[in-house]
Amino acid sequence: MIGSAADTTDTTAELRARRGRRPAGSAALARLLLIVLALGFLTLFVALPLIVVFVQSLAKGFGAYLAAISNPMAWSAIKLTLLVALIAVPLNVVFGLTAAWAIAKFEFRGKSTLITLIDLPFAVSPVIAGLVFILLFGAHGWFGPFLQAHNLRIVFALPGIVLATVFVTFPFVARELIPVMQAQGKDDEETALSLGATGWQTFLRVTLPNIRWGLLYGILLCNARAMGEFGAVSVVSGHIRGLTNTMPLHVEILYNEYNYTAAFAVASLLALLALATLAGKSILEWRQPELRRTALPRRDRGRRAKT
Amino acid sequence: MSIALRGIGKRFGEFAAVENIDLDVPSGALLALLGPSGCGKTTLLRIIAGLEIPDAGQVLFDGRDATFRPVRERKVGFVFQHYALFSHMTVFENVAFGLKVKPRAERPPGALISRKVESLLELVQLEWAGGRYPAQLSGGQRQRVALARALAVDPDVLLLDEPFGALDTQVRHELRRWLRRLHDELHFTSIFVTHDQQEAIEVADTIVVLNRGRIEQLGVPGEVYDLPTSAFVHRFLGQVNEVAVQMREGRAHLGPIDISADAAASTAGSIALIRPHEIDVGRGAGGWPATVLTVRVIGPVVRLELQAEGRKAHPPLEAEISRERHEAERFGVGEAVNLKFRRWQIYPAGIPAD
């Protein structure tokens, strides 16, 4: 799905080159129409709301903006959001890596079931994901009595929020890595092993460098979703101010209290985090095709030169 | 190091990749595993390397059981068809990899590693390429880097999986001769997998022909080519013409040619396999009348397609004559000629067509 981003760029470049050779006419008109349509849609539904967030948050001046962000409740929401992402993303990196490794490098019974399961969080509504955890770990849930007897809190506390976030963001890393690892096959790893490397050395020195771009890309997407998740977290958090409110939840509370400036100020921070993540992703995308472009002509040159 | 396989079997699901294989590879041999795709040759190589664990049988290294010995402890160099160079490392780092991952106690000091890598790059004639990345090299150069990398850890056995399969004919030919020389200089045991009979004949001292997971024939190259023990081997090593044996008045015939002197031909329905260079094309009387369909000059030989009388339903016969003879005789398309068979081999009826 996402892994083919660079390939898509290649194909569009090819298409553009082919189209450039064709005589202009109704094709040119269609092209213009499509571009205007896509750009118009994006401006109206993506760019404009983003601008509104920043405009609204600064509507009462920069002072009010700072005050809204430095409010202790806002501050605790920010810290909680970062903490959740800090726990959930590394967990999903480990899960994603193991799942992708298993699927790409081994044949086993139930492989297709595993692939479907990985996609499950994408398919179900986050609210349902949250409810599942309530049913499992809530006071009247399956494990509720056990947890209460041992004085453990999962729902309406940090563990619940982390669980819900891990569930919702699980597919990103795995989905990103499976096609990359499948394309690479097992030859490199088998060579490393035959040269005497241990499994761990093989992973660190051969596998990891081979998948580094895909992995980084997956981490960025996973992180963006982890910080922005609302539905699942909303169900399990309990909305305890200063304790279990993440940034998205805090924004909603402020908004419901008609505190628009503060709501938009926190929202703008969240948007900034998301923008920073997307910028990181763009930098990666921009570097990746460049690496390929420099590698390709060299290979061609080498082939022509022969041995 | 000598290698022995005892009753090796391996299945993938329902498919038996190899079955009951017994094979002895003496120390210092250069052996080719030859066969069509799906015959189990690569599986066998991977079992020797330790990349697959057999379901049955034993792998012996120097007489000691190594069936379940992990890959990294086997001291085998493995070279893949598509090189499997580490693309994020320079050529130098690729070759040095096996030395650098050794446990601290066994790892040679940096200067020694550098010297070893440089001497290996010299051996594969790539001393200038140490700082390059694999993507900057041609296919033949990359495969030589892969060889140098495998040799860096002083393997007892070198295993090569279709090592030249992805290369141009010219480069392939050069690398074959180079591998042969390298083997003669360094005296390790090598096993390579190929589906190219010419490659096997050119490089190996021993050829093992595999078919459907079993060993069909084992021998020195000339023997396997000239004295195939089965129709499969006969067909697989080089071109063949197939002519059904006909019985007339109790005598065996190939077309109008009486071959009843050949004792093997006495059963009806058996089949004769004849190589193109074993067919004599001439204008003299006698033999099997035929018409020349095409004449193709291929370097030193000339290949003729011939429609023999009474064989309309079969594919044309293929004959190969020397360039000199062709210059002297000048057979033309459409010309009527007479065919004689210098040599043939009879196989019983009912042999599978593959």
Side-chain angles (χ1 to χ4, degrees), chain A residues 112-124:
Chain A
S112 56
T113 317
L114 183 59
I115 295 173
T116 315
L117 273 178
I118 288 173
D119 282 338
L120 192 71
F122 276 163
V124 302

PDB file of all heavy atoms in Angstrom, chain A residues 112-124:
ATOM      1  N   SER A 112      -1.784 -16.469   5.923  1.00  0.00           N
ATOM      2  CA  SER A 112      -2.755 -15.512   5.379  1.00  0.00           C
ATOM      3  C   SER A 112      -3.653 -14.978   6.486  1.00  0.00           C
ATOM      4  O   SER A 112      -4.084 -13.826   6.446  1.00  0.00           O
ATOM      5  CB  SER A 112      -3.580 -16.168   4.274  1.00  0.00           C
ATOM      6  OG  SER A 112      -4.191 -17.328   4.766  1.00  0.00           O
ATOM      7  N   THR A 113      -3.918 -15.811   7.496  1.00  0.00           N
ATOM      8  CA  THR A 113      -4.698 -15.338   8.642  1.00  0.00           C
ATOM      9  C   THR A 113      -3.926 -14.221   9.354  1.00  0.00           C
ATOM     10  O   THR A 113      -4.516 -13.214   9.752  1.00  0.00           O
ATOM     11  CB  THR A 113      -4.938 -16.493   9.640  1.00  0.00           C
ATOM     12  OG1 THR A 113      -5.277 -17.643   8.903  1.00  0.00           O
ATOM     13  CG2 THR A 113      -6.020 -16.146  10.628  1.00  0.00           C
ATOM     14  N   LEU A 114      -2.627 -14.418   9.502  1.00  0.00           N
ATOM     15  CA  LEU A 114      -1.807 -13.409  10.163  1.00  0.00           C
ATOM     16  C   LEU A 114      -1.853 -12.089   9.400  1.00  0.00           C
ATOM     17  O   LEU A 114      -2.001 -11.016   9.987  1.00  0.00           O
ATOM     18  CB  LEU A 114      -0.357 -13.915  10.277  1.00  0.00           C
ATOM     19  CG  LEU A 114       0.611 -12.988  11.013  1.00  0.00           C
ATOM     20  CD1 LEU A 114       0.127 -12.732  12.434  1.00  0.00           C
ATOM     21  CD2 LEU A 114       2.000 -13.576  11.040  1.00  0.00           C
ATOM     22  N   ILE A 115      -1.765 -12.171   8.070  1.00  0.00           N
ATOM     23  CA  ILE A 115      -1.794 -10.964   7.252  1.00  0.00           C
ATOM     24  C   ILE A 115      -3.124 -10.237   7.437  1.00  0.00           C
ATOM     25  O   ILE A 115      -3.179  -9.013   7.574  1.00  0.00           O
ATOM     26  CB  ILE A 115      -1.550 -11.305   5.760  1.00  0.00           C
ATOM     27  CG1 ILE A 115      -0.133 -11.867   5.591  1.00  0.00           C
ATOM     28  CG2 ILE A 115      -1.740 -10.081   4.883  1.00  0.00           C
ATOM     29  CD1 ILE A 115       0.172 -12.381   4.211  1.00  0.00           C
ATOM     30  N   THR A 116      -4.223 -11.027   7.461  1.00  0.00           N
ATOM     31  CA  THR A 116      -5.540 -10.420   7.657  1.00  0.00           C
ATOM     32  C   THR A 116      -5.622  -9.766   9.034  1.00  0.00           C
ATOM     33  O   THR A 116      -6.163  -8.665   9.177  1.00  0.00           O
ATOM     34  CB  THR A 116      -6.639 -11.501   7.548  1.00  0.00           C
ATOM     35  OG1 THR A 116      -6.347 -12.313   6.430  1.00  0.00           O
ATOM     36  CG2 THR A 116      -8.003 -10.872   7.390  1.00  0.00           C
ATOM     37  N   LEU A 117      -5.091 -10.455  10.037  1.00  0.00           N
ATOM     38  CA  LEU A 117      -5.138  -9.917  11.402  1.00  0.00           C
ATOM     39  C   LEU A 117      -4.397  -8.587  11.496  1.00  0.00           C
ATOM     40  O   LEU A 117      -4.817  -7.682  12.200  1.00  0.00           O
ATOM     41  CB  LEU A 117      -4.521 -10.920  12.381  1.00  0.00           C
ATOM     42  CG  LEU A 117      -5.470 -11.964  12.934  1.00  0.00           C
ATOM     43  CD1 LEU A 117      -4.738 -12.925  13.847  1.00  0.00           C
ATOM     44  CD2 LEU A 117      -6.619 -11.296  13.688  1.00  0.00           C
ATOM     45  N   ILE A 118      -3.281  -8.484  10.777  1.00  0.00           N
ATOM     46  CA  ILE A 118      -2.507  -7.239  10.806  1.00  0.00           C
ATOM     47  C   ILE A 118      -3.351  -6.086  10.280  1.00  0.00           C
ATOM     48  O   ILE A 118      -3.267  -4.963  10.762  1.00  0.00           O
ATOM     49  CB  ILE A 118      -1.208  -7.403   9.981  1.00  0.00           C
ATOM     50  CG1 ILE A 118      -0.247  -8.307  10.737  1.00  0.00           C
ATOM     51  CG2 ILE A 118      -0.556  -6.055   9.705  1.00  0.00           C
ATOM     52  CD1 ILE A 118       0.996  -8.672   9.971  1.00  0.00           C
ATOM     53  N   ASP A 119      -4.192  -6.381   9.294  1.00  0.00           N
ATOM     54  CA  ASP A 119      -5.027  -5.337   8.707  1.00  0.00           C
ATOM     55  C   ASP A 119      -6.252  -5.001   9.548  1.00  0.00           C
ATOM     56  O   ASP A 119      -6.919  -3.995   9.303  1.00  0.00           O
ATOM     57  CB  ASP A 119      -5.493  -5.762   7.306  1.00  0.00           C
ATOM     58  CG  ASP A 119      -4.391  -5.565   6.290  1.00  0.00           C
ATOM     59  OD1 ASP A 119      -3.491  -4.750   6.566  1.00  0.00           O
ATOM     60  OD2 ASP A 119      -4.427  -6.212   5.234  1.00  0.00           O
ATOM     61  N   LEU A 120      -6.559  -5.856  10.503  1.00  0.00           N
ATOM     62  CA  LEU A 120      -7.792  -5.700  11.279  1.00  0.00           C
ATOM     63  C   LEU A 120      -7.950  -4.303  11.886  1.00  0.00           C
ATOM     64  O   LEU A 120      -9.016  -3.697  11.749  1.00  0.00           O
ATOM     65  CB  LEU A 120      -7.855  -6.778  12.368  1.00  0.00           C
ATOM     66  CG  LEU A 120      -9.203  -6.904  13.062  1.00  0.00           C
ATOM     67  CD1 LEU A 120     -10.226  -7.514  12.125  1.00  0.00           C
ATOM     68  CD2 LEU A 120      -9.094  -7.742  14.325  1.00  0.00           C
ATOM     69  N   PRO A 121      -6.921  -3.759  12.532  1.00  0.00           N
ATOM     70  CA  PRO A 121      -7.089  -2.424  13.122  1.00  0.00           C
ATOM     71  C   PRO A 121      -7.479  -1.358  12.099  1.00  0.00           C
ATOM     72  O   PRO A 121      -8.130  -0.374  12.440  1.00  0.00           O
ATOM     73  CB  PRO A 121      -5.707  -2.133  13.721  1.00  0.00           C
ATOM     74  CG  PRO A 121      -5.136  -3.464  13.995  1.00  0.00           C
ATOM     75  CD  PRO A 121      -5.621  -4.338  12.898  1.00  0.00           C
ATOM     76  N   PHE A 122      -7.076  -1.543  10.839  1.00  0.00           N
ATOM     77  CA  PHE A 122      -7.489  -0.605   9.798  1.00  0.00           C
ATOM     78  C   PHE A 122      -8.965  -0.775   9.480  1.00  0.00           C
ATOM     79  O   PHE A 122      -9.643   0.172   9.075  1.00  0.00           O
ATOM     80  CB  PHE A 122      -6.697  -0.853   8.504  1.00  0.00           C
ATOM     81  CG  PHE A 122      -5.366  -0.171   8.478  1.00  0.00           C
ATOM     82  CD1 PHE A 122      -4.394  -0.561   7.576  1.00  0.00           C
ATOM     83  CD2 PHE A 122      -5.084   0.893   9.341  1.00  0.00           C
ATOM     84  CE1 PHE A 122      -3.163   0.077   7.552  1.00  0.00           C
ATOM     85  CE2 PHE A 122      -3.863   1.530   9.314  1.00  0.00           C
ATOM     86  CZ  PHE A 122      -2.904   1.113   8.416  1.00  0.00           C
ATOM     87  N   ALA A 123      -9.448  -1.997   9.645  1.00  0.00           N
ATOM     88  CA  ALA A 123     -10.806  -2.316   9.192  1.00  0.00           C
ATOM     89  C   ALA A 123     -11.860  -1.965  10.238  1.00  0.00           C
ATOM     90  O   ALA A 123     -12.970  -1.575   9.891  1.00  0.00           O
ATOM     91  CB  ALA A 123     -10.899  -3.800   8.829  1.00  0.00           C
ATOM     92  N   VAL A 124     -11.534  -2.122  11.521  1.00  0.00           N
ATOM     93  CA  VAL A 124     -12.563  -1.838  12.522  1.00  0.00           C
ATOM     94  C   VAL A 124     -12.484  -0.392  12.980  1.00  0.00           C
ATOM     95  O   VAL A 124     -11.430   0.232  12.965  1.00  0.00           O
ATOM     96  CB  VAL A 124     -12.450  -2.766  13.756  1.00  0.00           C
ATOM     97  CG1 VAL A 124     -12.559  -4.211  13.373  1.00  0.00           C
ATOM     98  CG2 VAL A 124     -11.178  -2.506  14.524  1.00  0.00           C
TER      99      VAL A 124
END
